[in-house]
Amino acid sequence: MANPTPKPSPTLILRVILRCWLCSSLAMGATYNVVNFGAKSDGKTDSSKAFLNAWAKACASSNPASVYVPQGRFLLGSATFGGQCHNKALTFTIDGTLVAPSDYRVIGNSGNWLQFESVNGVSIRGGVLDGQGTALWNCKNSGKGNCPTGATTLAFTNANNIAVSGLTSLNSQLFHIVFNGCQNVKVQGVKVLADGNSPNTDGIHVQMSSHVTILNSKIRTGDDCISIGPGTTNLWIENIACGPGHGISIGSLGKDLNEAGVQNVTVKTVTFSGTQNGVRIKTWGRPSNGFVRNVLFQDAIMVNVENPVIIDQNYCPANKGCPGQASGVKVSDVTYQDIHGTSATQVAVKFDCSSKYPCSGIRLEDVKLTYKNQRALSSCNHAGGASLGSVQPQSCF
């Protein structure tokens, strides 16, 4: 008869349980509540220092860590969250609202309100960012001329492996969310809210960045819902509701002579409601070595959009610095597939390309856009391409 397997002692079992609990706790990491660092949820007391101190603790942790913002309104001035953190899994969990100073002059010339710089593995979950930009918009719209530029609400600069989910950006002074020089970014379930007459309040702006994904978001603002700047590659945008606003724009590009190009961009399953533009490519009418190539606009619904499909390579605001010149930006291999809906103007498809470097490889496939229940028109200047399937308005290639 074999000897029975000895039973482990209660002491050994307890050691194993404690070891598992300790490992689990280390994996989950510590949570740093900003209130414990002196933050006040009254919306009046400047809590910037408390937030930065909580960040410093989380950043110094060698294990995954979280900064927690409970319910309430927390006033913050301009703040930069940076440094070489000891871990690459740092989460900002926000159940409350972060509020910018009501006097726009406090942060109006700071560039950014909240900035994450040179970070790796940061996630922001939930919360509301209230930029309180209404007074600054009124100043700009009044034409007074002495208004500050305004601050971007949330900026990521030279950051990698970033996730933003469930966040609401409200009434930004300037751009709402910006990614500049970033790699591997995922934005999901974001809401951007600002008046249709709010100037320069782009919803999400991406430039000099690669492998950025923007999903399942609703953007209502006074400028581009999403703007795509120089040096953007491998960008995926899907399931976006845009309007009011100026649409989804690649550009403006070509302001500088030496400029990084834009390539490998997909925009799909987007609804534009009452916007100034739908899907747009915009370049300055001046010399540049920039380019736009390998772009897919797919499955877009236009609802009373002024310029549903547009390439404008003669952008020259106030006719300064560019009249009479041709854009140097080369636009090629752009596909418009399954674009349907209504145009607010008779010309629903407009390709106004560079006279020096005409657009090439433009492809229209299964497009149906109408104007006041009638056929719309298309317009082409220096554009070449092909049409496949049913295309209305009739192609002008």
Side-chain angles (χ1 to χ4, degrees):
M1 180 176 177
N3 293 328
T5 304
K7 293 182 179 180
S9 69
T11 303
L12 179 60
I13 293 173
L14 183 60
R15 284 178 181 172
V16 171
I17 292 172
L18 286 171
R19 187 176 297 170
C20 291
W21 175 82
L22 180 61
C23 290
S24 175
S25 297
L26 288 173
M28 290 174 62
T31 297
Y32 300 94
N33 189 324
V34 295
V35 171
N36 295 336
F37 291 82
K40 303 295 183 185
S41 60
D42 57 8
K44 299 176 182 177
T45 306
D46 188 346
S47 296
S48 305
K49 187 175 180 180
F51 273 68
L52 290 168
N53 287 341
W55 166 266
K57 280 287 189 181
C59 184
S61 171
S62 57
N63 296 301
S66 177
V67 174
Y68 177 63
V69 183
Q71 292 185 352
R73 291 174 66 82
F74 295 87
L75 174 66
L76 270 74
S78 183
T80 297
F81 303 91
Q84 296 299 316
C85 294
H86 291 196
N87 72 82
K88 296 179 181 178
L90 208 160
T91 302
F92 244 93
T93 302
I94 307 173
D95 284 336
T97 299
L98 278 53
V99 186
S102 56
D103 181 352
Y104 57 75
R105 291 168 295 188
V106 175
I107 63 170
N109 287 316
S110 63
N112 300 301
W113 173 29
L114 306 172
Q115 178 174 222
F116 289 83
E117 185 173 18
S118 301
V119 297
N120 188 357
V122 170
S123 299
I124 297 182
R125 298 176 182 169
V128 177
L129 307 180
D130 185 354
Q132 298 214 97
T134 307
L136 179 58
W137 310 338
N138 293 338
C139 179
K140 290 182 176 181
N141 289 332
S142 71
K144 290 179 180 178
N146 60 346
C147 315
T149 303
T152 289
T153 286
L154 177 63
F156 290 88
T157 307
N158 300 324
N160 298 331
N161 305 307
I162 302 300
V164 179
S165 61
L167 178 73
T168 297
S169 179
L170 179 67
N171 295 337
S172 181
Q173 289 188 0
L174 201 65
F175 290 17
H176 287 260
I177 303 170
V178 169
F179 299 98
N180 183 12
C182 298
Q183 315 290 323
N184 299 319
V185 174
K186 186 171 184 179
V187 178
Q188 188 166 241
V190 162
K191 291 182 181 178
V192 171
L193 300 170
D195 286 349
N197 67 347
S198 56
N200 306 118
T201 53
D202 293 40
I204 301 173
H205 178 75
V206 182
Q207 68 177 38
M208 302 305 296
S209 299
S210 67
H211 297 94
V212 177
T213 302
I214 304 170
L215 305 173
N216 309 327
S217 296
K218 296 180 180 181
I219 303 173
R220 301 170 56 88
T221 191
D223 211 298
D224 293 327
C225 291
I226 300 174
S227 54
I228 301 158
T232 300
T233 63
N234 300 307
L235 171 65
W236 188 281
I237 298 168
E238 184 173 2
N239 195 21
I240 305 295
C242 169
H246 292 183
I248 294 179
S249 296
I250 297 176
S252 56
L253 304 177
K255 186 176 183 180
D256 298 323
L257 179 61
N258 294 307
E259 189 176 270
V262 173
Q263 62 184 335
N264 303 334
V265 175
T266 297
V267 178
K268 65 180 297 185
T269 316
V270 182
T271 299
F272 299 92
S273 302
T275 52
Q276 187 182 92
N277 307 286
V279 289
R280 172 170 65 162
I281 298 173
K282 179 174 70 169
T283 76
W284 285 70
R286 57 201 286 178
S288 175
N289 61 3
F291 61 83
V292 178
R293 60 182 177 232
N294 193 20
V295 177
L296 172 63
F297 297 113
Q298 183 183 62
D299 186 22
I301 296 173
M302 309 288 174
V303 182
N304 201 36
V305 174
E306 289 182 32
N307 301 294
V309 174
I310 181 169
I311 298 178
D312 176 9
Q313 291 206 258
N314 290 290
Y315 179 62
C316 189
N319 286 323
K320 291 182 179 179
C322 40
Q325 301 184 68
S327 176
V329 177
K330 301 177 182 68
V331 177
S332 62
D333 300 321
V334 181
T335 298
Y336 302 87
Q337 187 179 71
D338 293 320
I339 313 291
H340 299 91
T342 57
S343 175
T345 61
Q346 193 168 17
V347 178
V349 177
K350 184 177 182 179
F351 299 130
D352 189 13
C353 298
S354 170
S355 57
K356 188 172 183 179
Y357 301 104
C359 299
S360 62
I362 308 299
R363 179 183 171 114
L364 294 167
E365 184 176 351
D366 296 325
V367 174
K368 185 176 182 180
L369 295 166
T370 59
Y371 169 65
K372 293 184 176 179
N373 295 320
Q374 298 176 2
R375 287 193 174 187
L377 301 177
S378 61
S379 170
C380 291
N381 283 315
H382 312 293
S387 298
L388 294 170
S390 174
V391 175
Q392 296 179 33
Q394 186 174 346
S395 168
C396 50
F397 297 136

